[in-house]
Amino acid sequence: MSGAAVRITGDPEVCTGAGQCVLTDPAMFAQDDRGVVELRTHRAEGARVPRAREAVFLCPSGALSIVED
Amino acid sequence: MLNLDPEEVAKLPHYPVTRRCPYEIPEVYTRLRTEEPVSKVVMSDGQPVWFLSRYEDVRAVLSDPRFGADRLAEGFPNLALGQREGLSKQPKFMISMDGAEHSAVRRRVISDFSVRRVAELRPTIQKLVDDCVDRILDLPQPVDLVAELALPVPTLLLAELVGANHADHAYFIDLVHRMLWRKTSGEERVQISIGLRKYFDDLIAEKEAHPGDDLISRQIALQREETGEIDREGLNSLAQLLLIAGYESSASMIALGVHTFLTRPDWLAAIRTDPARTSVAVEELLRFYSILDVAAGRVALEDVEIGGETIRAGDGVMASVFAANRDPSAFPDPDRLDLERGARHHVAFGYGPHQCLGQNLSRLELQIVFDTLFARVPTLRLAVDEADLPFKYDALAFGLYELPVTW
Ligand code: SF4
């Protein structure tokens, strides 16, 4: 269901700062000054959904997850 | 520690497996992945360990906290003779830590490797690469690109990063080089470890007295602010880790990458017309060569079931990133070097909390090297037959000893 909106969560405690999320979609993910993940949005819709999933898949630390609403 | 009777051990494949061709994955990897994905191999010190060759299993183990990274733990796969003795004389490396201890240490340095920080280093890297290319263009031909480009660029960059712009650079390079050499004796390895530690002790003392705009100085400032005390041992192991991890591996990827472009005119044409494709090419080169297959060892901290086998607490595990990166279930037609692949999910930088800290720096470094070299020396070509190139079949990290070119 790539069209439906999903909720994205990012756990800064778990993040190891590899930046795979930022490289996947800088509009959804950023790194703060400490190098730790910062969500720019908590929801993804449409074409962003597969990219959010890709970021979750690429994130090495398990800091990101997607919750279907 | 995985206990098997000697007869069974005698039948196991040896690890590391020596490559015989730069392009092909050793047959044993493919066979094991197909027939027995959770299998066993024997390390050079005679220790049997589990061997994982499926993409899914490799990712699972590398991100599972039930597998530890402590290289001194009994059962951890020992890659080279003397490795354990050498490491036992060192402060603990971040790559040997687990859980909270690991994340606390890693957290303090990640800001130096964030995507933004790395992007800010672009002009520094560009300048380093340009200087190297300037020098190359002045040299009598043929020129060995390993000595003149692949080794100097990462070393200079890492030296820049930790602020080690010392006169004794050559001494340091020699130490690192010998340490990573597969034929270095156990005894010599211990001496090298001591030498490296001393080198960084001096560097850290220098930074305490004269801070600069570098990673070590920033760590010192951070520690002064946090605790008022400087953890010299921890800084020492951090500096060593960064330099060692970034040195030979980047050099290998530069050399293999240049070689690949030179033998594939279609790749060269593609990045020339569209430099945006260089980053895609870099990912594919990383996946395809998987030069640091040996880096992903673990030890089970409790009993864990993987692919129907029970791995017992204390058993060593080698998760093969090379085999994983050639797994057809993750990469269709995996043994083909495919510029269109866009394989960012490869595990050449490892996976899980220990995934290479310097990966984005390494990516940028490779992109700049390839783009600059081929733009500035458009007629570049190999000076010897491909068949005569000395590939590093006997080293722990795959690569090239020399890459003679002309233009
Ligand atoms: S990919 Fe994961 S570990 Fe890396 S910065 Fe993003 S959230 Fe953190």
Side-chain angles (χ1 to χ4, degrees):
Chain A
M1 286 252 301
S2 71
V6 295
R7 208 145 45 81
I8 313 168
T9 62
D11 185 344
E13 291 304 310
V14 175
C15 171
T16 51
Q20 295 303 294
C21 51
V22 188
L23 293 173
T24 307
D25 194 333
M28 282 191 278
F29 307 97
Q31 283 168 306
D32 67 13
D33 284 343
R34 298 168 301 153
V36 168
V37 64
E38 201 172 63
L39 295 181
R40 299 196 151 184
T41 168
H42 293 272
R43 280 168 58 80
E45 250 177 304
R48 282 253 139 78
V49 176
R51 279 221 290 289
R53 286 190 204 288
E54 193 189 345
V56 172
F57 184 71
L58 290 176
C59 170
S61 68
L64 302 177
S65 53
I66 275 181
V67 190
E68 320 269 346
D69 269 334
Chain B
M1 184 138 152
L2 189 54
N3 271 320
L4 301 178
D5 68 75
E7 262 168 56
E8 203 182 332
V9 174
K11 285 190 226 134
L12 297 178
H14 288 253
Y15 190 86
V17 180
T18 307
R19 301 184 196 208
R20 293 183 192 286
C21 156
Y23 310 111
E24 267 162 44
I25 181 160
E27 181 270 330
V28 60
Y29 282 82
T30 313
R31 180 170 54 80
L32 290 176
R33 193 189 326 97
T34 324
E35 293 170 6
E36 201 189 344
V38 183
S39 55
K40 299 177 196 93
V41 293
V42 59
M43 306 300 291
S44 29
D45 62 357
Q47 185 199 346
V49 301
W50 294 98
F51 182 78
L52 303 175
S53 43
R54 274 194 304 217
Y55 178 78
E56 207 182 311
D57 295 339
V58 166
R59 266 179 58 123
V61 162
L62 294 181
S63 56
D64 187 332
R66 294 174 298 172
F67 288 90
D70 183 358
R71 278 152 179 74
L72 290 179
E74 204 193 332
F76 191 95
N78 215 357
L79 275 174
L81 300 174
Q83 173 183 287
R84 212 178 292 266
E85 291 84 338
L87 286 175
S88 68
K89 298 201 165 42
Q90 299 265 3
K92 205 172 181 188
F93 285 84
M94 182 164 68
I95 51 166
S96 262
M97 297 174 181
D98 291 321
E101 184 189 20
H102 171 254
S103 68
V105 171
R106 180 158 172 140
R107 224 135 238 285
R108 287 207 204 97
V109 277
I110 55 178
S111 67
D112 263 292
F113 295 90
S114 70
V115 173
R116 194 185 62 215
R117 258 287 170 62
V118 166
E120 285 166 5
L121 282 170
R122 180 179 274 277
T124 307
I125 306 175
Q126 185 66 59
K127 166 99 175 51
L128 280 176
V129 175
D130 275 326
D131 290 351
C132 281
V133 175
D134 285 345
R135 208 173 36 243
I136 288 167
L137 289 171
D138 281 340
L139 289 171
Q141 300 182 36
V143 166
D144 172 18
L145 279 191
V146 170
E148 303 301 334
L149 184 78
L151 286 172
V153 168
T155 329
L156 293 170
L157 174 58
L158 285 153
E160 183 98 14
L161 215 63
V162 297
N165 285 313
H166 278 201
D168 49 356
H169 221 113
Y171 163 77
F172 167 75
I173 292 175
D174 178 61
L175 274 186
V176 176
H177 192 79
R178 282 190 294 132
M179 185 177 65
L180 296 172
W181 188 248
R182 196 191 274 202
K183 287 177 184 154
T184 296
S185 71
E187 219 171 288
E188 206 182 337
R189 222 174 274 280
V190 174
Q191 288 312 313
I192 293 169
S193 298
I194 296 169
L196 273 173
R197 188 169 173 189
K198 165 96 176 64
Y199 179 91
F200 283 111
D201 277 342
D202 294 347
L203 179 70
I204 291 160
E206 191 186 311
K207 296 292 159 194
E208 277 183 49
H210 311 285
D213 180 21
D214 56 71
L215 192 142
I216 300 281
S217 299
R218 271 193 290 277
Q219 292 296 313
I220 290 174
L222 195 73
Q223 292 184 0
R224 278 197 172 125
E225 190 185 304
E226 276 177 359
T227 61
E229 259 172 65
I230 294 161
D231 170 16
R232 296 190 182 89
E233 293 236 310
L235 283 177
N236 191 308
S237 59
L238 175 67
Q240 291 198 42
L241 180 63
L242 296 178
L243 279 151
I244 295 160
Y247 163 74
E248 200 191 18
S249 48
S250 303
S252 287
M253 283 313 301
I254 291 173
L256 290 170
V258 171
H259 158 69
T260 306
F261 281 110
L262 290 182
T263 47
R264 280 178 174 66
D266 53 326
W267 275 48
L268 203 48
I271 64 161
R272 280 220 177 100
T273 43
D274 180 8
R277 300 180 76 174
T278 314
S279 63
V280 183
V282 164
E283 296 306 323
E284 178 65 348
L285 292 168
L286 289 164
R287 177 196 75 86
F288 187 80
Y289 290 112
S290 297
I291 57 164
L292 273 179
D293 187 46
V294 294
R298 291 291 184 270
V299 57
L301 303 176
E302 37 185 288
D303 294 359
V304 183
E305 203 191 295
I306 298 207
E309 295 277 1
T310 304
I311 296 181
R312 302 261 171 226
D315 287 357
V317 180
M318 279 309 310
S320 173
V321 300
F322 189 15
N325 280 338
R326 299 288 191 102
D327 182 342
S329 75
F331 307 96
D333 198 3
D335 299 325
R336 200 164 70 87
L337 199 50
D338 178 2
L339 183 58
E340 308 296 325
R341 195 184 295 274
R344 276 191 58 214
H345 57 298
H346 68 71
V347 284
F349 288 119
Y351 191 67
H354 288 281
Q355 194 185 53
C356 175
L357 178 66
Q359 58 180 300
N360 296 320
L361 190 59
S362 173
R363 289 184 163 104
L364 182 63
E365 184 181 17
L366 292 168
Q367 286 168 30
I368 293 176
V369 166
F370 300 143
D371 283 339
T372 308
L373 182 67
F374 298 120
R376 293 196 51 197
V377 199
T379 57
L380 195 76
R381 60 187 189 278
L382 287 180
V384 297
D385 277 346
E386 199 190 333
D388 295 329
L389 284 174
F391 288 97
K392 296 173 85 169
Y393 295 119
D394 57 345
L396 286 177
F398 186 60
L400 273 159
Y401 285 111
E402 275 171 42
L403 183 61
V405 294
T406 183
W407 55 91

